[in-house]
Amino acid sequence: MDEADLKALLAPLAMSCWEEDGSLSVTDGGGVAIEVADRPDDDPYATFADLTPAAAFVRDATGRYLWANHAYAHLYGTTRDAVIGRHLADVDEAGDITRFLALDHEVLAYGRPVRHTLTYRRADGCPGRAAGYRFPVRWGATRCVAGIYVDVTDYAQVLDQRHRAEADLQALRDHSGLLCVRLDPDGRIGEAGTAVADALGIRLSDLAGLPADTLLARTPERSALHRIWDDLISGRRRSARTCAVLVDRDGWRRRARVHLSTVCGTTPGVSGVWAVGTHLGLRHPARPDLTATQVRILALLAAGYNNADIAGTLRLSRQTLDYHLSRLRTLLDAATRPALVARAYVLGILSPQTWPPRSSTAPNPASPV
C-alpha cells in the first residue's frame, strides 16, 4: 500500500460529515476504483492506516476480509489478525450480514462511493452506530469494497437524548399551562407557549421577535428584573426567581412569579434564557397613581385601624381623611372599607408578604411607603 493508496483510503472520511441538524445525509459521489498493491512491511503509510482511530477494511465481493486495521477489529472486540481472512458470517450478526453484503454489491454494481451511517452489534452485545464511507477498490487483480468508519454511538446517544429533551420541553411549553418563554440574549422573544399568548391576548406569531420589556409594566419589579437579567446574560448567575407585572394587549395587568434559567449553547456565553411564569394573578387595569398619604391610609385600613386612629397616626383632620377616603373609593372603584383593602392587594398597592401592611414598593421593612 503506497502513499497514493493510503490517501485514497483515508480521504473519504474527511468527506463524511454531519449535517447542521445532527443527521448524516446519505449521498452518492462520483468516484473510480483505486489500485491497492501489496505493501512492504516497512511502509510507514501502511502503519499509519493500521493505527488510525478510524475503522477501515477491505472485503472481496463474497464478503471475505482481505485487510482490516486495529480500530476496525476493536469495534468487534478482537484483533485485526483474527478478522483478516475471515468472512462476514464469522464476525457480524446474521441480520447484519445480508444488509452489509447488499451494500457492498451496490457499491460494486454502480462503481461509485457512498457515504452513510450503519448500525451494528458491538462486542458487548449492545447496538452501535458508525458513520463513514464505502467505495470500490482493486486489491491486486480482485475488485473489492473498502470502507472507513468512525464509531458515533456515544454521539448518537447524546443527540437522541437532546432530541428527547427538546420534545419534552416543547410539550411542557405548549401543554403544561405554564407561561414559558425563551428569550434571546438581546431580550427578544425567541419562542413562546400557547399559555403566554392566551394570557396576553397576543398571537404566537406576533410574539416572536417582540422585546420582552414591552410586556412588562413600569413597576419596581421591572427594575429588579433588569438587574437580574444583566447578571444572567453576563454569566454571574445561572438562575433566579423574581416577580413581574405583565401587561396584556388591552393594557390590563397581571402579576406573576417568574423563574429564569440560562441556556448555554455550543459557543461560549449564554445563548438564551428560559422564563417560566407561575402563580398568575387576577387580571386588572393599571392601578391609579396614589399619593404616599393615600397608600398609608390603605395600609392602616388593612391593619384594622378606624378613622379616628388613622387620622391621629397620620396627623390629619377628620375632614382631610374623609376627603382621601372619598378619593380612594373613586380611584379604586370600591365603595366600602373592606373593598378598598381588597382592591389594594389585588392591584399590588400593598405587599401580600408583609405585616403590618405596607406598600409593595417600600424600600425596606421599616418604611411604610
Side-chain angles (χ1 to χ4, degrees):
M1 183 182 293
D2 57 22
E3 180 178 1
D5 299 331
L6 177 69
K7 289 180 178 178
L9 182 64
L10 297 183
L13 181 64
M15 298 169 63
S16 180
C17 59
W18 291 93
E19 303 296 342
E20 290 185 358
D21 62 356
S23 64
L24 187 70
S25 61
V26 180
T27 59
D28 293 339
V32 296
I34 61 174
E35 191 75 23
V36 182
D38 293 335
R39 62 178 177 83
D41 294 335
D42 60 350
D43 184 352
Y45 296 104
T47 302
F48 179 71
D50 286 343
L51 300 179
T52 180
F57 68 87
V58 177
R59 285 197 296 259
D60 64 17
T62 68
R64 184 172 63 91
Y65 285 98
L66 302 178
W67 176 85
N69 66 357
H70 294 286
Y72 186 84
H74 179 71
L75 292 178
Y76 296 93
T78 186
T79 63
R80 64 186 299 272
D81 293 334
V83 173
I84 297 175
R86 301 179 69 184
H87 191 270
L88 267 172
D90 302 322
V91 178
D92 288 290
E93 297 289 329
D96 294 335
I97 296 170
T98 303
R99 183 161 49 90
F100 292 166
L101 282 176
L103 188 57
D104 287 354
H105 293 159
E106 177 186 346
V107 171
L108 292 174
Y110 291 100
R112 59 189 183 188
V114 59
R115 184 177 58 183
H116 67 116
T117 59
L118 55 84
T119 58
Y120 69 100
R121 184 68 57 182
R122 304 175 84 176
D124 58 4
C126 298
R129 292 180 66 180
Y133 217 89
R134 195 173 300 205
F135 52 98
V137 298
R138 288 192 178 277
W139 189 274
T142 307
R143 195 159 179 264
C144 304
V145 173
I148 185 165
Y149 292 89
V150 174
D151 190 329
V152 295
T153 304
D154 295 337
Y155 175 81
Q157 290 175 348
V158 171
L159 195 63
D160 289 341
Q161 291 174 356
R162 174 184 172 184
H163 289 162
R164 287 196 298 269
E166 289 176 345
D168 291 342
L169 186 59
Q170 184 176 1
L172 178 68
R173 182 196 67 192
D174 294 336
H175 305 297
S176 66
L178 298 175
L179 306 183
C180 298
V181 177
R182 192 184 193 280
L183 302 173
D184 296 332
D186 61 359
R188 294 181 178 272
I189 296 176
E191 54 183 287
T194 54
V196 178
D198 292 341
L200 298 176
I202 302 175
R203 293 183 301 180
L204 277 176
S205 58
D206 294 335
L207 282 173
L210 194 66
D213 216 32
T214 61
L215 304 175
L216 301 175
R218 295 182 178 276
T219 63
E221 291 90 346
R222 183 171 181 262
S223 300
L225 189 56
H226 284 172
R227 293 191 294 269
I228 293 173
W229 178 263
D230 291 339
D231 288 343
L232 292 171
I233 295 301
S234 64
R236 292 191 293 268
R237 300 175 70 170
R238 294 294 304 275
S239 62
R241 294 184 180 182
T242 186
C243 290
V245 179
L246 308 179
V247 180
D248 64 19
R249 179 184 58 188
D250 299 322
W252 287 51
R253 302 184 178 189
R254 303 180 79 170
R255 181 179 295 272
R257 296 182 189 176
V258 181
H259 304 252
L260 302 164
S261 299
T262 58
V263 180
C264 297
T266 56
T267 57
V270 176
S271 63
V273 174
W274 272 105
V276 180
T278 62
H279 298 81
L280 191 62
L282 297 176
R283 182 172 179 264
H284 60 81
R287 74 187 192 190
D289 293 329
L290 303 180
T291 66
T293 297
Q294 290 169 340
V295 174
R296 291 206 62 188
I297 290 173
L298 290 172
L300 293 174
L301 283 176
Y305 283 50
N306 59 35
N307 287 4
D309 294 334
I310 294 174
T313 301
L314 301 181
R315 298 180 179 179
L316 301 174
S317 67
R318 291 295 297 272
Q319 291 80 4
T320 301
L321 177 61
D322 289 341
Y323 166 77
H324 284 303
L325 289 173
S326 176
R327 285 290 299 152
L328 286 170
R329 292 188 185 99
T330 300
L331 292 172
L332 302 185
D333 192 21
T336 64
R337 293 165 60 98
L340 283 173
V341 172
R343 289 286 284 169
Y345 280 111
V346 168
L347 295 177
I349 298 171
L350 298 180
S351 171
Q353 283 88 27
T354 60
W355 188 267
R358 64 184 177 90
S359 168
S360 59
T361 61
N364 60 71
S367 175
V369 179

